[in-house]
Amino acid sequence: MDEATTTALLQAVAAGAVTPAEAAQRLKRLDVEDVGFARIDHHRSLRKGFPEVIYGSGKTPEQIATIAERLAAAGQTVLATRCKGADFEAVRERVPDAVYHPVPRCIVAVRASPPRAPGTVLVATGGTTDIPVAEEAALTAELTGSTVERLWDVGVAGIHRLLANRERLLEANALVVVAGMEGALPSVVGGLVDRPVIAVPTSIGYGAAFGGIAALLGMLTSCAPGILVVNIDNGFGAGYAAGMINRMAGVTGP
Amino acid sequence: MDEATTTALLQAVAAGAVTPAEAAQRLKRLDVEDVGFARIDHHRSLRKGFPEVIYGSGKTPEQIATIAERLAAAGQTVLATRCKGADFEAVRERVPDAVYHPVPRCIVAVRASPPRAPGTVLVATGGTTDIPVAEEAALTAELTGSTVERLWDVGVAGIHRLLANRERLLEANALVVVAGMEGALPSVVGGLVDRPVIAVPTSIGYGAAFGGIAALLGMLTSCAPGILVVNIDNGFGAGYAAGMINRMAGVTGP
Amino acid sequence: MDEATTTALLQAVAAGAVTPAEAAQRLKRLDVEDVGFARIDHHRSLRKGFPEVIYGSGKTPEQIATIAERLAAAGQTVLATRCKGADFEAVRERVPDAVYHPVPRCIVAVRASPPRAPGTVLVATGGTTDIPVAEEAALTAELTGSTVERLWDVGVAGIHRLLANRERLLEANALVVVAGMEGALPSVVGGLVDRPVIAVPTSIGYGAAFGGIAALLGMLTSCAPGILVVNIDNGFGAGYAAGMINRMAGVTGP
Amino acid sequence: MDEATTTALLQAVAAGAVTPAEAAQRLKRLDVEDVGFARIDHHRSLRKGFPEVIYGSGKTPEQIATIAERLAAAGQTVLATRCKGADFEAVRERVPDAVYHPVPRCIVAVRASPPRAPGTVLVATGGTTDIPVAEEAALTAELTGSTVERLWDVGVAGIHRLLANRERLLEANALVVVAGMEGALPSVVGGLVDRPVIAVPTSIGYGAAFGGIAALLGMLTSCAPGILVVNIDNGFGAGYAAGMINRMAGVTGP
Amino acid sequence: MDEATTTALLQAVAAGAVTPAEAAQRLKRLDVEDVGFARIDHHRSLRKGFPEVIYGSGKTPEQIATIAERLAAAGQTVLATRCKGADFEAVRERVPDAVYHPVPRCIVAVRASPPRAPGTVLVATGGTTDIPVAEEAALTAELTGSTVERLWDVGVAGIHRLLANRERLLEANALVVVAGMEGALPSVVGGLVDRPVIAVPTSIGYGAAFGGIAALLGMLTSCAPGILVVNIDNGFGAGYAAGMINRMAGVTGP
Amino acid sequence: MDEATTTALLQAVAAGAVTPAEAAQRLKRLDVEDVGFARIDHHRSLRKGFPEVIYGSGKTPEQIATIAERLAAAGQTVLATRCKGADFEAVRERVPDAVYHPVPRCIVAVRASPPRAPGTVLVATGGTTDIPVAEEAALTAELTGSTVERLWDVGVAGIHRLLANRERLLEANALVVVAGMEGALPSVVGGLVDRPVIAVPTSIGYGAAFGGIAALLGMLTSCAPGILVVNIDNGFGAGYAAGMINRMAGVTGP
Amino acid sequence: MDEATTTALLQAVAAGAVTPAEAAQRLKRLDVEDVGFARIDHHRSLRKGFPEVIYGSGKTPEQIATIAERLAAAGQTVLATRCKGADFEAVRERVPDAVYHPVPRCIVAVRASPPRAPGTVLVATGGTTDIPVAEEAALTAELTGSTVERLWDVGVAGIHRLLANRERLLEANALVVVAGMEGALPSVVGGLVDRPVIAVPTSIGYGAAFGGIAALLGMLTSCAPGILVVNIDNGFGAGYAAGMINRMAGVTGP
Amino acid sequence: MDEATTTALLQAVAAGAVTPAEAAQRLKRLDVEDVGFARIDHHRSLRKGFPEVIYGSGKTPEQIATIAERLAAAGQTVLATRCKGADFEAVRERVPDAVYHPVPRCIVAVRASPPRAPGTVLVATGGTTDIPVAEEAALTAELTGSTVERLWDVGVAGIHRLLANRERLLEANALVVVAGMEGALPSVVGGLVDRPVIAVPTSIGYGAAFGGIAALLGMLTSCAPGILVVNIDNGFGAGYAAGMINRMAGVTGP
């Protein structure tokens, strides 16, 4: 439950739209809610500015749906990543307004909207096959309050495709650069802009790509300063951090 | 040559303190200066907000000194990392006001000062042996215009040492968290704050630490969102990015 | 055949309930029973305090069922790990009272019960997806005579969830801490308690988690003393050792 | 400061041997003492039963000596591992009764003695070259209150050397088994005893030993149940945990 | 075509049972037979004492069948390893007397029988799940003229199972020891016998077994002299070499 | 659009067969064509001598078909690698004359033919199972204008099979040598010829072949000079480079 | 002994400058010369177009000097790589006109000069620290008959430094691109030119650069076609192959 | 103490040259002699046909000398591998007739000579730098009773050097093939002979040779049957096993 929601709840109580008992019930859930197989960290949205996100891989549809239901019931936006169609079916039964995004494989149900950040986050990919990871980043950044620019298939083997978009690169407050194979794109982008570049290696490639290790190592050892790296295929983490950085523009201190 | 320097130069010309010919000479150097073994990217401070930094390892003292001299001559701040005493001796002959910082092993000669960013960057370490890397980060962040808070030896094996400093963590605009061995500190810090956490794995440890691989993998797979990772022992890169993020606070858009 | 069973058998002979010939036959099996594809180590329960455990993976249902039958026939408790439904079908035909535990994927048929140890074993997980491995540990510790406390989803990204359970941690004689991804939970727990912490890395995670390697390395290089590590996903081994340690409380010497 | 020391301090106050002000000073140090480059966790001996141990590698002699001095001043036993002669010289100037153990390369200054545990810890090695790591384990177990049996050079290539000592193996409450190369000794020992076996891989060997990786992997995948593994060359961690387990014998519950 | 076959062919010509033209045709095939996708090395049986063996994995059933047919037509024994049922169906249509061995997944059609070697090859396994690889070794050794002793499930966690068979170990001219997980069995066997021990790591195990790497490294770094290692799961190679060594007993020189 | 096509287009305009507007439209496409999920680099054939090639793996059939259609519409030859049957179905609907090569799994639709290079490229394999990768190389070299000689199954275990073809090796302008397992063939070939040898490791093999790593490392560390290596299974890259080298014969300068 | 030398020798015989006996002696050496610790492959210059090259690392100065002496005595150019000063001292005593190149650490004594190839080889580096490897490549290419263009410090973090030299890239017949860290430079260069690009990863970098592995993997998985890779730091191999390719320009067939 | 020594001792007693008490003393030592830091396995020569060998690396000169003295005193041949000059100085003081072999870095003192085996062991190397490892193998084979043929520098890049020695290869009873870099030599040799080939990878090479891993993997995945592999640089193990195999020729059964 983020601050806006807390304020809204208290205003609703003042206005008589919510009884104090109901409000108390909701606030109590702010702490940790134990549902047996999970302890839902309702407090996180207060601490981190965004609710706990459900990592769907390895959880049963039933588990995903239960957590989604409790988050939604607490007035928190639901974001579940790495979900299959069966996961969505289970969630939709409990959270009817949930929506499935098939390319990034995410389930979303928006509740409290975060304030819009003034600038933009640019998400770029080296190739077409990097798009699912990039869309996970873009969706996450959007949900956390940022406007997102998408720039697909600007890999370094045809450097003119990237350079033709130099202006768009320079306009962003934070950049997420998604690439597989040798993962060279963040180095080139990082040499052109003066804002943080979050590099996302993808598992695209074969042989010595080693499921994203080549790209990961390339990004970690980039000769361009200011490159920050997340895990292989971790579009969510990149979008989350990019949104966090973008929200800082306009902020005047701690 | 950063914007402030360019402006100052032009004002000096207007004031007659610098001849147009001399100014033209200096501006020409803005492009790339070829010194045989290197092409100094004088243009970088304009593009990236900070001049090219000299990575000392693998360069001869003569090479380091030559690049430092040209940067200083162009009115750009010199920062050379991973330098030994012999490197410093060579630099001092050409840039007499250069200073050596023995803990992070850096050579510095300040020229144009960047504008001070309003907030702070916090640099924390898991242990005492991580301090050299952390000081490289802190020094870099300071040179790029940020105020730095230092918090040493707050590793997770004595979690009360970290929790006792929770307020300081919450006050920073960007956090650099430096840890070796299992590298768990960024995960715990990342769960407490709503600002970007830049995780720096160090090569501290033995056996299965594998020269920092254990910490690196741990940071990449952190269960806390918003963790961004740089290369093993890359204090410079972390401090650079943290300063970049901190400078964004107060900025109102692209 | 553990000591209790041996004593019970001899008492049964004394009471005339079992013929000496039948008892001799059973005792002979105590050594090693060769069933062609396996040599069943009936002697192990005497040596180790618990019968041989069947590792189901890679064995045919027929092989698992044959070994289970012989163990049960010798009065020994059957525990088969990593078993599929088809394995259970084969076992149930020969050992009708066998039970299948679907979450940890174990087959159990209790015969001689070990003496109850006085204290407790605590089994904790970092997340929901670690539960199957944790349940394998818990089931094993219970079968070997320990009372087990379960504490799910207390990962370090929300450290307050763990600290709220500090008392339960301190009450255990031995702790099994199960975590994937960066595997940081054992380090934090190890800093809070003065009993052995058995760390179990899980294969949960993606990318640089490398199927549990990140967690494994993190646990091996933990900065907290007293952390002992088992193989990735080896809930059985952790539960077995934790039970062994817990049984030592109350023991007065060799 | 362990419990015995706390009690002794309070008795000394009662007896007038220590002034209340002095005692208060000492107790205040129980929390965390910030010496700039380190936060000494004086509270650890209360939490963990043994004071913070100094990991010498990567620290300067000056840093080691400062921490040792503060621990000793607080009445806590000093144990510093992985120390060179120069480290010892620095420590001895501040803690004159400190002793250097050259084989395990440890510095020790005993203050408050822990209560003696009733049983024994057995430390065994596969070969002669494993002895330094084994002595680190033995010394640690002794300092934490256990009697230690040493059994050197009983590797599996001459299995009769081990079997001839079977009785000694069976008498121990906890076993530390140290081996390099293929690291097979813990598996064989683990099949013979019913107490926890702590396996320590060493970096002994060449080629495919990969600095201890072969032994580490072998111990993690041991076919004998009840094997618990620590980091390569981590004699300290093994001795610490073995002492912790041995102290449990005679304990009657939490 | 091995020597016996060549001799038999020439005798058949002498006896008029084969025309010289037909014999010439067969002998010509001794060189290399090009079937488009493969060059069958008919000469190998003369050079190596056994015909070319078909490695089935990655070949189509049609390709396997074609090579098998040509070998059989040239009077050479067919051995195809790593074959599925569909491969066998294709072979049987062309070589009707071919037989499928399901446990080691081999197809065999015996033609010229090699001379029997006087001694025996012993094949042992650490566990039940190693049997398929061990049977591939045993079958290969038998086809190349050796008598094979099988000793299953004598892993080191119950060392008495191995020691009870010490006599059988000492009687063999060559030993093939097959083990997964930590792969410690060859070290113990190698310490007991004075004949070559061929160690075969298997991909049995999970987690840090890394598909046989743990066993492979353990065997390569064995502290027992005289251990020779083949690839993970390479039963064929081990049986082939063991047969080759066994055939040497009785030989009196080059 | 390669030079020949450009010239042909202009001649067609001169001849009135194509309107200037249509030609302008086609030429405009020479730059980059944005189809949403991809930026087709029509300029590449001019820069590199061959159009952009579609790497099919990870793309949807719809995406492959769209790119193929646009390339074909621009008069460029279509080559799509790593395609399944479903990919071909989608392409054929849009480019009816497309052809599927099942062994190398490539889709081809020839448009502008490159000029024939005078010499030949030889493609050799160590074994039968390497043929699919080798055919990808051969097909690519043929499409880019070279005549290709195929030499299958000449692995080093029967070195006479290779030496019997020494003349063919010496006649080629560039050699592509494809091998899995230990990948020794390029070293032997490289010692025999004075033209560049492009080594292609394949993922053929098991165990320590590690999906082609053994062959890759072997080729990179070859003791024969002049060996150039491409990624595991990268037949396309090898054939592309071999064709490029072969086209240089007859060229008289830049 | 290359063809030119052979011809020159025969002409000298015809002219009476060399006796037939002396010539016969020299020609006999063409085969293999056994000097005890080495078999010098004098035949190689005929087969490969350049004499055997001495890889100095791991050889004693005495061994290097002996081989150099024999090569020089046979009229063959001496190139010894990876040599220290002591190696050169030993060589100079036997081959007085030998020259030491300290940057690439090579010893050279020119004998028969190969014919000059018409075009040029371009050698480029990402940074200053890559120059020693690049100079090894340049020296080798020069010795084998090519003119070499050098282009230092054009790494991708300042892409304008590379693009400013686009014309020079396009003029070369073969390109050697040397880079450490993430090794991205060959991908960008490969996208700009239509000639073979030989990528040389260097061991420059730290942490996740893993001694050149990051660069190696990046180059192997490059998204630009026509990239060919040699071993880490293998400047010699790259220069050798580039020279071989450059010599092909002007050649009209096999 | 091998059989010949035992017999000789008993004959000496019968002849009165040794007193029964002295003989009893010597025989008692046959079991295991505990010298504190080591348990000398005097029984090994009886079990394995050769005494325990001292692996010098990691042992102090004092430790090596003590073990050597005890072995020599028991009439057993001393072989200590991986010894430095200082080790030899210490040994020579206690075993005056000890000899140091500098190339393989071994200390030898011959006592009881094993019977000579009838055939020969051939030891071959790929290059000059492999000779130290090969000499360790050759020395070991000689000490254990075999005649050794040496064949240096016959690597596959000049295959004619090997083929010119084909006869020598065919004459050996066992072959040790030592090679670094890509380690291809055993595959080629293995295709030519019908005797066991023991492949020894060496740590020779750089970059992707990874200290012998490339050669090790290449040998393990060899396409030639009958290749047996030992650890990187393990000349001792290879020579030991080759001698063992060679001794079998002439043996008529178990």
Side-chain angles (χ1 to χ4, degrees), chain F residues 1-12 45-46 49 75 112-115:
Chain F
M1 196 178 274
D2 53 57
E3 269 186 292
T5 313
T6 312
T7 307
L9 177 65
L10 297 176
Q11 289 172 337
S45 64
L46 221 61
S113 281

Side-chain angles (χ1 to χ4, degrees), chain B residues 206, chain C residues 196 220 224-229, chain D residues 81-82 121-124 133-142 144 146 148 174-179 196-202 219 228-247:
Chain B
Y206 61 92
Chain C
L220 285 168
I227 306 290
L228 299 163
V229 186
Chain D
T81 63
R82 314 235 164 176
V121 168
L122 182 134
V123 181
V133 173
E135 281 288 0
E136 191 185 87
L139 180 61
T140 303
E142 286 170 345
T144 57
S146 286
V148 171
L175 299 97
V176 174
V177 180
V178 184
V197 171
I198 301 173
V200 190
T202 68
M219 291 169 179
L228 299 163
V229 185
V230 296
N231 195 5
I232 297 165
D233 291 336
N234 188 5
F236 162 69
Y240 189 97
M244 203 180 244
I245 292 171
N246 186 36
R247 284 201 304 274

Side-chain angles (χ1 to χ4, degrees), chain D residues 23-176:
Chain D
Q25 187 63 23
R26 283 202 207 165
L27 282 168
K28 216 176 68 183
R29 283 198 217 113
L30 275 178
D31 211 342
V32 168
E33 181 176 0
D34 188 345
V35 296
F37 55 83
R39 274 160 223 276
I40 305 172
D41 185 2
H42 289 300
H43 188 254
R44 187 170 297 186
S45 65
L46 221 61
R47 245 171 36 243
K48 298 281 302 180
F50 195 75
E52 185 165 3
V53 171
I54 307 168
Y55 172 65
S57 178
K59 294 200 180 70
T60 64
E62 176 65 23
Q63 290 174 331
I64 295 172
T66 300
I67 303 174
E69 185 183 29
R70 304 295 167 98
L71 285 169
Q76 308 216 28
T77 287
V78 174
L79 170 59
T81 63
R82 314 235 164 176
C83 289
K84 296 179 297 292
D87 299 328
F88 176 56
E89 293 310 314
V91 170
R92 192 162 52 176
E93 282 188 25
R94 310 244 193 130
V95 186
D97 64 328
V99 175
Y100 186 59
H101 296 253
V103 172
R105 300 197 299 134
C106 292
I107 300 169
V108 173
V110 178
R111 290 292 174 277
S113 281
R116 301 307 296 174
T120 62
V121 168
L122 182 134
V123 181
T125 73
T128 297
T129 44
D130 301 316
I131 292 177
V133 173
E135 281 288 0
E136 191 185 87
L139 180 61
T140 303
E142 286 170 345
L143 283 173
T144 57
S146 286
T147 301
V148 171
E149 286 281 308
R150 285 162 173 85
L151 186 63
W152 294 168
D153 198 22
V154 290
V156 300
I159 195 79
H160 57 300
R161 297 181 301 187
L162 177 70
L163 298 178
N165 289 283
R166 196 192 296 228
E167 287 310 306
R168 292 176 70 191
L169 299 175
L170 291 171
E171 281 165 11
N173 269 339
L175 299 97
V176 174

Side-chain angles (χ1 to χ4, degrees), chain B residues 155-159 163 166 181-182 184 187-188 190-192 206-210 213-214 217-225, chain C residues 155-159 163 166 181-182 184 187-188 190-192 206-210 213-214 217-225:
Chain B
V156 300
I159 195 78
L163 297 178
R166 196 192 295 229
M181 297 174 179
E182 84 270 54
S187 288
V188 177
L192 297 172
Y206 61 92
F210 293 134
I213 295 179
L217 298 187
M219 291 169 179
L220 285 168
T221 58
S222 173
C223 52
Chain C
V156 301
I159 195 80
L163 298 177
R166 196 192 296 230
M181 297 174 176
E182 84 271 54
S187 289
V188 178
L192 297 172
Y206 61 92
F210 293 135
I213 294 180
L217 298 187
M219 291 169 179
L220 285 168
T221 58
S222 173
C223 52

Side-chain angles (χ1 to χ4, degrees), chain G residues 52-228:
Chain G
E52 184 166 5
V53 172
I54 307 169
Y55 172 64
S57 178
K59 292 200 180 70
T60 64
E62 176 65 22
Q63 290 174 331
I64 295 171
T66 300
I67 303 174
E69 185 183 29
R70 304 294 168 99
L71 285 169
Q76 308 218 29
T77 287
V78 174
L79 169 58
T81 63
R82 314 237 165 176
C83 288
K84 296 180 296 294
D87 298 327
F88 176 56
E89 293 310 315
V91 170
R92 192 162 50 175
E93 282 188 25
R94 311 242 193 130
V95 185
D97 64 327
V99 175
Y100 187 60
H101 297 254
V103 172
R105 299 196 300 133
C106 291
I107 300 168
V108 173
V110 177
R111 289 293 175 275
S113 281
R116 300 308 297 173
T120 62
V121 167
L122 181 133
V123 181
T125 73
T128 297
T129 43
D130 301 316
I131 292 176
V133 173
E135 281 289 0
E136 191 185 86
L139 180 61
T140 303
E142 287 170 344
L143 283 173
T144 57
S146 286
T147 302
V148 171
E149 286 281 309
R150 287 163 171 83
L151 187 62
W152 293 170
D153 198 22
V154 291
V156 300
I159 196 78
H160 57 300
R161 297 181 299 186
L162 178 70
L163 298 178
N165 290 283
R166 197 192 295 229
E167 286 311 306
R168 294 176 69 191
L169 299 176
L170 290 171
E171 280 165 12
N173 270 339
L175 300 96
V176 174
V177 181
V178 184
M181 297 174 177
E182 84 271 53
L185 186 55
S187 289
V188 178
V189 172
L192 298 171
V193 303
D194 65 344
R195 291 297 162 100
V197 172
I198 301 174
V200 189
T202 67
S203 52
I204 297 302
Y206 61 91
F210 294 134
I213 294 180
L216 172 63
L217 298 188
M219 291 169 180
L220 285 168
T221 58
S222 173
C223 52
I227 306 290
L228 299 163

Side-chain angles (χ1 to χ4, degrees), chain A:
Chain A
M1 197 178 274
D2 53 58
E3 268 186 293
T5 313
T6 312
T7 307
L9 177 65
L10 295 176
Q11 290 172 336
V13 172
V18 172
T19 67
E22 165 70 12
Q25 186 65 22
R26 283 203 206 166
L27 282 167
K28 216 175 68 182
R29 282 199 216 109
L30 275 178
D31 213 342
V32 168
E33 181 176 0
D34 189 344
V35 296
F37 55 83
R39 274 161 222 276
I40 304 173
D41 185 1
H42 290 300
H43 188 253
R44 188 170 295 185
S45 64
L46 221 61
R47 244 169 40 241
K48 298 281 300 179
F50 194 74
E52 185 166 4
V53 171
I54 307 169
Y55 172 63
S57 178
K59 292 199 180 72
T60 63
E62 176 65 24
Q63 290 174 330
I64 295 171
T66 300
I67 303 174
E69 184 183 30
R70 305 295 169 99
L71 285 169
Q76 307 216 31
T77 287
V78 174
L79 170 58
T81 63
R82 313 235 165 177
C83 289
K84 296 179 296 294
D87 298 328
F88 176 56
E89 294 309 314
V91 169
R92 192 162 50 176
E93 282 188 25
R94 312 243 194 130
V95 186
D97 63 328
V99 175
Y100 186 60
H101 296 252
V103 172
R105 299 198 299 133
C106 293
I107 300 168
V108 173
V110 177
R111 290 292 175 275
S113 280
R116 300 309 296 175
T120 62
V121 168
L122 182 133
V123 181
T125 73
T128 298
T129 44
D130 302 315
I131 292 177
V133 173
E135 281 289 0
E136 190 185 88
L139 179 61
T140 303
E142 287 170 344
L143 282 174
T144 58
S146 287
T147 301
V148 172
E149 286 282 309
R150 285 162 173 83
L151 186 62
W152 293 171
D153 198 22
V154 290
V156 300
I159 195 78
H160 57 299
R161 296 181 299 185
L162 178 70
L163 297 178
N165 290 282
R166 196 192 295 228
E167 286 311 306
R168 293 176 69 191
L169 299 176
L170 291 171
E171 281 164 11
N173 269 340
L175 300 96
V176 174
V177 182
V178 184
M181 295 175 178
E182 83 271 54
L185 187 55
S187 289
V188 178
V189 171
L192 297 171
V193 303
D194 65 344
R195 292 298 162 100
V197 172
I198 301 173
V200 190
T202 67
S203 52
I204 296 303
Y206 61 92
F210 294 135
I213 294 179
L216 172 63
L217 298 187
M219 291 170 179
L220 285 168
T221 58
S222 173
C223 53
I227 306 289
L228 300 163
V229 186
V230 297
N231 195 5
I232 297 164
D233 291 336
N234 187 5
F236 161 70
Y240 189 98
M244 204 180 243
I245 292 170
N246 186 38
R247 284 202 303 273
M248 289 183 60
V251 168
T252 53

Side-chain angles (χ1 to χ4, degrees), chain F residues 155-159 163 166 180-184 187-188 190-192 206-210 213-225, chain H residues 155-159 163 166 180-184 187-188 190-192 206-210 213-225:
Chain F
V156 300
I159 195 78
L163 298 178
R166 197 191 295 228
M181 299 174 177
E182 84 271 53
S187 289
V188 178
L192 297 171
Y206 60 92
F210 294 135
I213 294 179
L216 172 63
L217 299 186
M219 291 169 180
L220 286 167
T221 58
S222 173
C223 52
Chain H
V156 300
I159 195 78
L163 297 178
R166 196 192 295 226
M181 297 175 177
E182 83 271 54
S187 289
V188 178
L192 297 171
Y206 61 92
F210 294 133
I213 294 179
L216 172 63
L217 298 187
M219 291 169 179
L220 285 168
T221 58
S222 173
C223 53

